[in-house]
Amino acid sequence: MAADAGLADAVSDLVTLYEVLQEEAEEAEHRQEPDYVPDFLGPNFNRDHWRNLQFRLSVAAEGVRAHPWLHDWARPALTRAAAHVERRCEEQRTLIDTATLERAAVALQQREQSTEQAAQLWQAWRQREDWGFTTSPDYAYYDKDARLHPPRAGIAGRSTATAEVSVRLPPIGPDGDGFRLVEPLSMWEIAALAAYKTTADWAAGVITLVAPPVVVQELLCPARGLDVTPRAACAGRTPQPPAAS
């Protein structure tokens, strides 16, 4: 029975992924209309939409790994989903002001809280009962709307030094009552991942970042509880510019 339940879950997750892909196909059709306005530029843009896609992809891929004979059937959907996640992430990337992102990282590292206090605050936020970001410790330093302009080139005084890390994305999961899905990442974390991503295995949920040291240091903060692995030093490297939308 347990094996049958696992297979049923895997098939259900694939069906859900197909439904999400259908929504993406409908959005692609809308792009052909003369008066089309990209939803990522609209007032109701779901800024972490790539996370929703990535989570559905990751869950479906996990089910396929547990039932390899599903792979040939599921592969086209998994490939399409990964492409859509990449596009959505790049779309968000074009909206992020990295100068604001980096200033927020500096301010976050100067906050007057012990690691233990910060960890308790993060835990309370992740078990919140609402969808708002206003209870996130990041909110005071990086407002969810503080990313309306693309990165500006040639800003005086900014360091070109960078560090490389790999980040394993946490799953979107139920809240304390187990009734709904909750995004465990803050808007600052989501923005940092999108802004400095160089490569990604979306199905496995692993992103490689090349970011300024101040951003990497904040991502490595123990209070955040992120699964971050430092990689080889890459001082002097500059993150790749966003791909053309």
Side-chain angles (χ1 to χ4, degrees):
M1 291 295 293
D4 291 342
L7 176 58
D9 289 342
V11 173
S12 176
D13 292 334
L14 280 170
V15 170
T16 299
L17 183 63
Y18 272 103
E19 292 173 349
V20 173
L21 289 174
Q22 180 59 38
E23 295 175 1
E24 291 295 306
E26 292 172 359
E27 196 270 342
E29 291 182 4
H30 294 161
R31 287 172 178 253
Q32 307 304 316
E33 299 175 1
D35 58 348
Y36 170 77
V37 176
D39 62 354
F40 68 93
L41 294 179
N44 297 319
F45 171 51
N46 185 354
R47 297 170 181 84
D48 61 344
H49 186 67
W50 66 267
R51 275 285 286 157
N52 297 330
L53 279 166
Q54 183 274 323
F55 170 68
R56 296 301 179 188
L57 167 62
S58 182
V59 170
E62 183 177 358
V64 171
R65 284 193 294 271
H67 302 85
W69 57 271
L70 288 174
H71 185 264
D72 287 345
W73 174 56
R75 180 171 52 194
L78 298 178
T79 301
R80 286 169 54 204
H84 284 305
V85 176
E86 182 71 19
R87 175 175 63 84
R88 289 287 185 177
C89 185
E90 290 297 331
E91 286 173 347
Q92 185 186 32
R93 186 176 184 174
T94 64
L95 302 176
I96 296 170
D97 183 345
T98 52
T100 301
L101 193 69
E102 292 163 30
R103 284 195 299 268
V106 173
L108 284 163
Q109 291 180 25
Q110 294 173 345
R111 61 190 182 275
E112 295 182 0
Q113 291 177 331
S114 69
T115 299
E116 182 178 359
Q117 289 174 324
Q120 291 173 348
L121 188 55
W122 274 110
Q123 182 63 24
W125 175 69
R126 286 176 169 142
Q127 298 299 324
R128 68 197 187 282
E129 296 180 354
D130 60 78
W131 283 99
F133 285 95
T134 56
T135 53
S136 165
D138 286 353
Y139 186 83
Y141 305 102
Y142 185 78
D143 187 278
K144 64 181 180 179
D145 293 319
R147 80 300 163 269
L148 298 178
H149 305 289
R152 292 163 290 176
I155 298 178
R158 293 184 64 189
S159 172
T160 59
T162 57
E164 185 174 14
V165 295
S166 290
V167 180
R168 184 171 295 278
L169 298 172
I172 296 175
D175 62 11
D177 297 324
F179 290 125
R180 60 185 180 184
L181 299 179
V182 172
E183 169 60 80
L185 295 174
S186 73
M187 180 53 65
W188 181 87
E189 290 168 337
I190 292 173
L193 294 174
Y196 300 110
K197 174 190 70 67
T198 55
T199 61
D201 183 337
W202 296 117
V206 177
I207 295 179
T208 298
L209 310 178
V210 173
V214 67
V215 172
V216 171
Q217 289 166 9
E218 183 57 31
L219 289 172
L220 286 166
C221 176
R224 293 190 177 276
L226 296 175
D227 187 354
V228 182
T229 302
R231 298 173 67 90
C234 52
R237 287 181 55 184
T238 302
Q240 296 296 314
S245 298

